[in-house]
Amino acid sequence: RYTRIEDGGLESMSIEPSWEMNTKKGARMELGLEYSEEGVLFPYPLADGVFMQPGMYKFMSGNIMMMTPMSKPFSTTLRIGAGEYYDGWNTSISVMPVYNVSSSLQLSGTYMFNHIEFPDRSQKVDIHSASARATIMLNTKLLASLFVQYVNTTDELVGNFRLRYNPREGNDFYLVFNEYRGIDDGTNIPVYPDYFNRTIMLKYTHTFIF
């Protein structure tokens, strides 16, 4: 449960009992039923022309998750959900494959689809989200990762590169590059800039033991 600082009202609350099964070979399945309450203080856009209106919402949904053994070179997780969503309905499906190419290279991705309908408002929206990640462990001290994500409702592309150097326990050096840009198809007014935001960060952490 989260409450707002502005007025002490409910921001978000959820209760989700679930049942989980694991096999000896490492496969996993989970069934869940979620009850949610959301307090919306100001309108916010879900997609072009579709807004969540202020108010208190109570809704329930169910989901099932199935995962193949992660000890295999290739594994995947499938999640399916359906139920109420604010003042409408949502049906979702996501697939998350992981491929361990070698002991030094791992490739993974996520595709998520949400079909949301608001019958009382005669509105609906389909949201597609796709992301990919590559993790390279050059040795026990040096690790690099690359991440990209795209969401169709906003035509936005997010990219992240991180290099971590860990010479010894308690000492870490990071080089991080983040970029956030729009996908311009030539119809946007005003025309999108080359990128919305770009950040390069250097970070060093040192742990002192007393």
Side-chain angles (χ1 to χ4, degrees):
R1 177 187 177 95
Y2 298 89
T3 56
R4 291 189 296 266
I5 295 177
E6 295 92 332
D7 59 359
L10 174 70
E11 177 79 24
S12 179
M13 184 191 79
S14 67
I15 302 172
E16 185 179 8
S18 62
W19 175 83
E20 181 180 323
M21 180 183 73
N22 295 275
T23 69
K24 292 182 178 180
K25 292 185 177 181
R28 177 183 169 193
M29 183 175 73
E30 183 177 306
L31 299 172
L33 184 65
E34 183 176 14
Y35 170 77
S36 302
E37 292 187 9
E38 298 288 338
V40 180
L41 195 59
F42 303 104
Y44 70 89
L46 186 64
D48 288 342
V50 181
F51 286 81
M52 304 306 301
Q53 300 300 325
M56 181 63 67
Y57 299 90
K58 302 178 181 180
F59 49 95
M60 294 190 68
S61 62
N63 64 81
I64 179 172
M65 185 273 291
M66 293 173 287
M67 178 188 296
T68 61
M70 298 187 68
S71 57
K72 305 290 185 180
F74 180 81
S75 63
T76 186
T77 301
L78 174 67
R79 186 183 297 272
I80 301 173
E84 299 170 316
Y85 183 75
Y86 291 81
D87 57 331
W89 298 85
N90 181 30
T91 303
S92 65
I93 182 170
S94 64
V95 181
M96 293 165 280
V98 177
Y99 179 37
N100 292 298
V101 181
S102 67
S103 59
S104 301
L105 176 62
Q106 182 187 79
L107 304 176
S108 61
T110 300
Y111 169 74
M112 182 179 295
F113 171 72
N114 285 273
H115 176 72
I116 304 172
E117 292 191 27
F118 301 99
D120 294 342
R121 294 190 257 157
S122 299
Q123 292 181 320
K124 63 181 180 179
V125 59
D126 291 332
I127 302 176
H128 300 267
S129 173
S131 64
R133 182 188 298 273
T135 303
I136 305 173
M137 292 166 282
L138 302 176
N139 51 51
T140 57
K141 297 181 179 181
L142 194 61
L143 181 146
S145 65
L146 176 66
F147 173 82
V148 291
Q149 182 181 51
Y150 171 76
V151 181
N152 73 303
T153 51
T154 52
D155 277 338
E156 294 174 349
L157 184 68
V158 176
N160 167 268
F161 171 79
R162 186 179 71 166
L163 181 69
R164 178 196 177 196
Y165 177 58
N166 175 228
R168 63 182 65 85
E169 191 67 27
N171 296 77
D172 292 283
F173 176 80
Y174 295 92
L175 170 63
V176 181
F177 174 82
N178 293 314
E179 185 170 283
Y180 165 47
R181 63 169 61 218
I183 306 299
D184 194 346
D185 59 2
T187 62
N188 297 294
I189 300 176
V191 176
Y192 285 166
D194 291 338
Y195 56 88
F196 298 140
N197 181 275
R198 179 179 287 170
T199 306
I200 299 175
M201 293 184 292
L202 293 174
K203 178 182 177 182
Y204 174 75
T205 63
H206 183 91
T207 303
F208 295 94
I209 301 177
F210 297 95

